[in-house]
Amino acid sequence: MKDTRRTRVVLSVLLVVALAVITIDYRGGDGSPLRGLRGMGAALFGPVERASAAVVRPIGNTFDAVTDAPGERRRADRLEHENQRLREQLRSNQLDRARAAQLDRLLGSAGMGGYKIRAAQVISAGQGFEDTVTIDVGSRSGVRRDMTVMSADGLVGRVTRVGPATSTVLLATDVTSSVGSRLEDSSEIGIVQGRGRRGLGDGGETPMRFQLLNANAPLKVGQRLVTLGSQGERPYVPGVPIGQVERIDGAVGGLTRTAYVKPFVRFTSLDVIAVVVAPPKTDPRDAVLPPKPPPPPGAAPPSGAPADAKATGKKGKKGKKDKKGEKAEPGPSTTPTSGVDVLSAPEPSTTGRNVLGAVVIVAALILQVSVANRLPLPGGVQPDLVLLAVVALALVSGSMTGMVAGFSAGLAADIIPPADHTLGRYALVYCLIGYVCGLASAEMDRQSLVPFFAVAAGALAGTVLYAATGMMLGDPRATWSTVIRMVPLQVLYDVIASPFVVWAVLRVTRRYERGGERPSRDGLSVPPARYRAMSGRSGSL
């Protein structure tokens, strides 16, 4: 699409608005005047996330049942004539029993510590560099900011934002998380800090770092940690199990000693958890820690986490993809105009197109937080479905639609739970990507590989720009080492997912375009050659 003065003016206005939002929210801190936007996001998207989680949960449960039990999968292949409905029903019953068992264990742990809890379920996970999740309880259930969140196995994190029906939880593995902690059977204290991305990134099996404040105190592999407790019992109550020391850095004569901790909680498969709504009357000390497993005869005690700390509610999500292609059909008729075939399929109203774009963006947002962000993919990186939707709309409709859709999608991604970053960052990044990809839309009729190049460039630019804004704002989660590790995987996952997203947006847009009454003539319409290029008539995606 040709760049015009009007397009550049609108782009400038959107960028100024995004920068203004970033500045106001950053300077305001916890008392930001824009915090009402987050509350609105929780009120609007919270119920939608809960409903979508209920819909996609059976799909993810089925995926887990297959991938976590290869023997079951092979047996299912041998019994291919068995009734499918009964198999699904059996899996569902087993998962319900497992969830009930988790709740029983959770109530037992809370009882030993004297905690009053409000049970909850994880319904979505954060994206970008944040280790956050959304749970299905909010202020209506008595949840408040800076309350401790735990599972049957130990510490999960703390509540950072609260909506009417949902809350955002900052996980203990997040880079910005610091928890006062104490060694078991000891008065020695220290600080446990997260290392990022739920243990799938740099942290690996030890996504937490423990700094012992007394460098001369004894510290050995296998020692276990519990929360020390905060002043006023918020954000952390005392006595919640954290994890077990896996390795210790060699002493270098510093004032502190550093060790790496394997948490009791499996952060990649959080399901049934609880918010501590009232602290214990007395410090439970080590009472909540599970009993140490007895060492086998003739062997040293194991240094791993306790045997009963296995997570039972793995919730990785995998959306089902319909791979049945549909051959593109020509429009009702074509008429030559200046030597170029113009699709005579009628075009609907601008309002209708805007509503369609909004539906695409909302669907991408819900799938991102409910499905994509919970996939336990290598590297702790997930495909960015929102970016793919913005790129697809920009390639189909041009720069104007691309940057407006990018700004709107980015602002929604900034406020939808469990987002926990400065408002405006995604709005700025997606707006720029939508504008640039829209400029490439004119090449769609000459090169069918444009969507792949656009997606790869968008994933690269999006990750770098988001990290750059984070570093300028002092976000400790945004570092160049993280960017270098994430960029190749982000580009790979986005390119792999792009045929499905771009194909879906194309199909929806084309079906809608065919339902109108007027010929397609303005700059936001989709040329027929672009239809053919994207649908495979002049090439294939």
Side-chain angles (χ1 to χ4, degrees):
M1 178 181 177
K2 183 179 179 181
D3 192 19
T4 63
R5 184 174 182 274
R6 176 171 174 263
T7 303
R8 292 192 295 271
V9 169
V10 174
L11 174 65
S12 301
V13 170
L14 292 178
L15 294 181
V16 169
V17 172
L19 292 173
V21 169
I22 292 174
T23 303
I24 294 172
D25 192 54
Y26 176 72
R27 287 182 174 274
D30 291 337
S32 169
L34 299 179
R35 63 183 182 274
L37 286 176
R38 298 188 188 276
M40 182 178 67
L44 292 177
F45 289 103
V48 178
E49 287 185 359
R50 295 180 67 177
S52 63
V55 172
V56 302
R57 185 172 290 123
I59 300 173
N61 291 342
T62 302
F63 173 66
D64 287 342
V66 173
T67 57
D68 288 347
E72 292 293 333
R73 185 172 185 176
R74 288 192 295 270
R75 186 155 53 251
D77 291 337
R78 291 194 300 268
L79 301 175
E80 59 183 354
H81 299 296
E82 182 183 353
N83 186 282
Q84 181 67 24
R85 184 180 62 85
L86 294 177
R87 291 205 304 269
E88 294 298 330
Q89 183 179 0
L90 177 60
R91 288 195 189 103
S92 178
N93 291 339
Q94 291 173 340
L95 290 165
D96 287 341
R97 288 196 295 271
R99 191 167 290 121
Q102 287 186 72
L103 184 57
D104 287 341
R105 293 178 55 233
L106 180 58
L107 293 173
S109 298
M112 287 188 292
Y115 311 122
K116 181 180 179 181
I117 63 172
R118 176 70 64 181
Q121 200 162 15
V122 175
I123 58 176
S124 65
Q127 66 185 103
F129 305 128
E130 306 157 14
D131 273 13
T132 55
V133 295
T134 302
I135 56 177
D136 62 355
V137 294
S139 57
R140 295 172 186 165
S141 303
V143 177
R144 299 292 181 266
R145 191 172 183 270
D146 283 335
M147 284 185 170
T148 306
V149 181
M150 62 180 292
S151 72
D153 300 313
L155 181 69
V156 172
R158 61 183 175 92
V159 176
T160 56
R161 305 188 191 279
V162 182
T166 59
S167 301
T168 298
V169 177
L170 182 74
L171 302 183
T173 55
D174 189 89
V175 175
T176 62
S177 173
S178 295
V179 185
S181 51
R182 179 180 55 80
L183 288 170
E184 178 187 13
D185 298 328
S186 170
S187 298
E188 297 298 337
I189 63 174
I191 300 172
V192 170
Q193 297 174 313
R195 302 180 67 197
R197 294 314 297 168
R198 304 175 183 86
L200 292 174
D202 292 335
E205 290 296 316
T206 55
M208 296 178 178
R209 179 188 294 109
F210 174 61
Q211 283 190 310
L212 182 62
L213 299 184
N214 182 1
N216 297 319
L219 179 64
K220 59 184 179 180
V221 172
Q223 282 187 286
R224 301 185 294 180
L225 298 166
V226 297
T227 55
L228 177 64
S230 307
Q231 184 175 6
E233 314 297 346
R234 292 172 70 173
Y236 297 108
V237 297
V240 181
I242 297 176
Q244 182 169 280
V245 174
E246 286 285 293
R247 58 188 177 91
I248 303 171
D249 275 355
V252 291
L255 298 178
T256 63
R257 295 184 66 187
T258 301
Y260 296 92
V261 177
K262 181 177 182 179
F264 293 142
V265 173
R266 188 175 180 183
F267 288 93
T268 57
S269 58
L270 291 173
D271 186 9
V272 178
I273 59 178
V275 180
V276 180
V277 295
K281 294 181 180 179
T282 59
D283 187 348
R285 301 291 293 177
D286 304 328
V288 188
L289 280 169
K292 293 182 179 179
S303 61
D308 65 344
K310 295 180 180 178
T312 58
K314 189 173 182 182
K315 298 284 300 164
K317 302 292 183 183
K318 179 178 181 182
K320 292 183 178 179
K321 299 179 176 62
D322 180 11
K323 297 186 179 180
K324 182 185 288 185
E326 199 172 296
K327 199 168 185 178
E329 297 180 358
S333 63
T334 59
T335 56
T337 303
S338 302
V340 179
D341 288 342
V342 177
L343 189 67
S344 62
E347 179 188 2
S349 66
T350 302
T351 302
R353 284 199 308 272
N354 293 339
V355 172
L356 181 64
V359 170
V360 169
I361 293 300
V362 170
L365 282 165
I366 296 302
L367 289 174
Q368 183 71 51
V369 298
S370 299
V371 180
N373 288 349
R374 306 190 69 186
L375 294 175
L377 299 177
V381 181
Q382 291 80 30
D384 192 340
L385 303 184
V386 181
L387 180 142
L388 294 179
V390 170
V391 170
L393 289 172
L395 291 176
V396 168
S397 302
S399 293
M400 181 67 75
T401 298
M403 64 185 177
V404 173
F407 179 84
S408 304
L411 190 59
D414 287 326
I415 65 175
I416 187 172
D420 190 42
H421 56 264
T422 304
L423 289 179
R425 289 173 63 184
Y426 275 123
L428 177 69
V429 171
Y430 288 162
C431 179
L432 287 171
I433 291 175
Y435 170 74
V436 174
C437 290
L439 295 178
S441 62
E443 300 297 323
M444 291 294 297
D445 57 348
R446 294 190 288 271
Q447 177 56 264
S448 61
L449 292 178
V450 166
F452 290 103
F453 291 118
V455 166
L460 174 62
T463 305
V464 173
L465 286 175
Y466 184 78
T469 57
M471 284 185 278
M472 286 188 291
L473 297 173
D475 187 349
R477 294 171 290 210
T479 62
W480 284 120
S481 61
T482 302
V483 173
I484 293 172
R485 176 180 59 82
M486 289 182 63
V487 162
L489 291 174
Q490 190 71 68
V491 173
L492 174 64
Y493 294 157
D494 285 354
V495 169
I496 291 175
S498 63
F500 304 102
V501 178
V502 176
W503 176 85
V505 173
L506 172 64
R507 287 297 307 274
V508 171
T509 305
R510 184 172 60 183
R511 185 179 297 275
Y512 180 71
E513 294 283 346
R514 287 177 174 174
E517 298 178 357
R518 297 186 302 278
S520 176
R521 300 292 293 172
D522 67 20
L524 295 180
S525 62
V526 184
R530 195 178 308 158
Y531 275 145
R532 292 194 294 270
M534 295 183 72
S535 60
R537 294 178 62 189
S538 341
S540 59
L541 278 178

